[in-house]
Amino acid sequence: MGGNQSIPKVTPRDRAVLDLKLQRDKLRQYQKKIQFVLDREQVIARTHISAGQKDQAIIALRRRKYQQGLLLKTESQLENLEQLVSTIEFSLVEVSVLHGLKQGTEVLKEIHKEMNIENVEKLLEETQDAREYQMEINEMLSNNLTLDEEDAVQNELKGLQDDIVHSARLVEMPTVPSTKPVDTTSTDKVRQETGEPVRQPIPAG
């Protein structure tokens, strides 16, 4: 009795929905972890700018923009796949969905590689190994960033430069006295009105 109950069949749509959920969950985890990397790269860029090392600052900002682009690209791709999965005629778009899921997996692997904090610190180091890594990263990113992304990098660089100059000017500004100077003329006037003797300056001997 009851042993012949049929097990619900897992359809291609069910598998696609599950894969999408797993990819989205993994993306959420990566977004939280990679934020530390993004913040660190901005600090490294500021350090290079303060030291007059503009080229090294640009490398750090390009890497940062590339990583931000990976996150946005994956987020957009998952949203598109979710729309395809929800279509009534899933069989017509199944190949596209499977291809998209495969691409999503590859991008997630790429994002995972970008979370290596040791590689981030190489952007600040002056060793031969670090310099070779910086040149390799710069060459790779120069060919991967779009014109809009490159413009965004230059704008962020200028913003950081302006911020550093502004902060330096604030440090150099003289401090404003915290106490007001005593107005002796008003005090003497009060003494005259109340009949109190006005203090006369003692002439120098």
Side-chain angles (χ1 to χ4, degrees), residues 48-106:
H48 283 310
I49 292 171
S50 299
Q53 299 168 329
K54 179 182 174 182
D55 291 342
Q56 285 92 331
I58 289 178
I59 294 174
L61 293 178
R62 279 176 175 166
R63 192 172 192 268
R64 189 170 186 268
K65 179 56 64 178
Y66 172 71
Q67 291 159 344
Q68 289 173 326
L70 280 178
L71 293 174
L72 291 175
K73 175 183 176 182
T74 308
E75 179 76 31
S76 175
Q77 185 170 323
L78 288 178
E79 289 178 359
N80 292 336
L81 288 177
E82 285 175 345
Q83 292 177 3
L84 287 176
V85 170
S86 64
T87 59
I88 297 175
E89 297 295 336
F90 177 77
S91 58
L92 299 179
V93 296
E94 182 178 352
V95 174
S96 297
V97 171
L98 294 177
H99 179 66
L101 287 170
K102 183 178 178 181
Q103 286 183 320
T105 300
E106 295 301 317

Side-chain angles (χ1 to χ4, degrees), residues 157-174:
L157 175 70
K158 186 177 184 305
L160 289 175
Q161 288 173 324
D162 293 343
D163 184 49
I164 290 172
V165 170
H166 179 68
S167 299
R169 286 175 179 170
L170 289 178
V171 172
E172 294 172 0
M173 287 178 62

Side-chain angles (χ1 to χ4, degrees), residues 58-70 137-154:
I58 289 178
I59 294 174
L61 293 178
R62 279 176 175 166
R63 192 172 192 268
R64 189 170 186 268
K65 179 56 64 178
Y66 172 71
Q67 291 159 344
Q68 289 173 326
L70 280 178
I137 286 295
N138 192 44
E139 184 177 348
M140 185 272 287
L141 295 179
S142 297
N143 298 324
N144 278 279
L145 294 183
T146 65
L147 291 177
D148 288 341
E149 288 174 331
E150 187 61 40
D151 287 343
V153 167
Q154 296 299 326

Side-chain angles (χ1 to χ4, degrees), residues 111-145:
I111 295 174
H112 185 263
K113 283 167 49 180
E114 293 296 322
M115 293 191 300
N116 188 332
I117 194 63
E118 292 181 3
N119 288 340
V120 176
E121 295 303 327
K122 284 184 181 180
L123 299 177
L124 191 60
E125 296 171 3
E126 296 290 340
T127 63
Q128 181 65 30
D129 179 54
R131 287 174 183 168
E132 291 176 358
Y133 175 77
Q134 291 168 17
M135 291 176 61
E136 177 187 339
I137 286 295
N138 192 44
E139 184 177 348
M140 185 272 287
L141 295 179
S142 297
N143 298 324
N144 278 279
L145 294 183

